[in-house]
Amino acid sequence: KVPKFDGSAYLRYPGLGEAALIWLEIQLVFRPTSKEGLLLYNGNRNDGQGDFMAIFLNQGFVEFAFDLGNGITIARSGQAVTMGNWHNLTISRTGREVFLAIDSQKETTVISSGAFTQLSLDQNLWLGSVPDYSILSAYLPI
């Protein structure tokens, strides 16, 4: 059976902590039913401040946002995903550089500004949604 997230359901996991300081790879398979929504969130604090990473849909485009302490950086898919279809997403991060690959679309690459390279993620990792949107970074466009 496959979990279904409707915006109010979520799964909570231990945060990635120091496992994501320098390097990170996430693979996610999902089938969206809405063009907007949070898929995954992990932060360093529960007050919307500090380092974080998030995967979400914005107008049907897959976006990966992160903040290493230099300000928010967003990688965006080149095309919107098709609602109701299964999609394969891979996010790879080394230091300030992020690669976003979705299905057979051309890979997107972004580099965060500033000198900081480490991502601290001490709080819970949320899949599907969060229990309280106040824990999210205020800079997220969701």
Side-chain angles (χ1 to χ4, degrees):
K1 194 161 181 160
V2 177
K4 181 177 181 180
F5 301 99
D6 61 4
S8 62
Y10 54 83
L11 292 173
R12 182 183 70 188
Y13 294 97
L16 297 177
E18 294 187 8
L21 275 178
I22 300 296
W23 181 87
L24 170 73
E25 182 163 302
I26 298 171
Q27 294 182 334
L28 191 62
V29 178
F30 64 100
R31 187 177 76 173
T33 57
S34 172
K35 292 183 178 188
E36 310 288 333
L38 183 64
L39 301 177
L40 182 146
Y41 184 83
N42 194 183
N44 192 43
R45 295 171 45 175
N46 275 336
D47 60 2
Q49 304 294 314
D51 292 5
F52 76 90
M53 68 166 189
I55 302 171
F56 55 98
L57 292 177
N58 184 358
Q59 299 176 343
F61 290 84
V62 177
E63 295 187 356
F64 175 76
F66 65 106
D67 188 341
L68 306 174
N70 303 312
I72 189 171
T73 301
I74 298 177
R76 187 177 204 205
S77 62
Q79 299 171 316
V81 293
T82 305
M83 298 299 111
N85 287 358
W86 288 101
H87 301 282
N88 295 294
L89 171 67
T90 301
I91 304 284
S92 297
R93 179 191 147 264
T94 303
R96 296 174 29 234
E97 188 171 29
V98 166
F99 301 94
L100 183 152
I102 182 82
D103 300 330
S104 61
Q105 293 184 25
K106 183 179 177 193
E107 185 175 80
T108 301
T109 304
V110 297
I111 299 175
S112 69
S113 61
F116 296 130
T117 59
Q118 295 187 343
L119 183 60
S120 299
L121 302 171
D122 292 334
Q123 299 302 316
N124 290 319
L125 183 147
W126 302 95
L127 186 64
S129 188
V130 291
D132 180 356
Y133 272 70
S134 70
I135 70 171
L136 300 179
S137 169
Y139 300 107
L140 275 177
I142 54 173

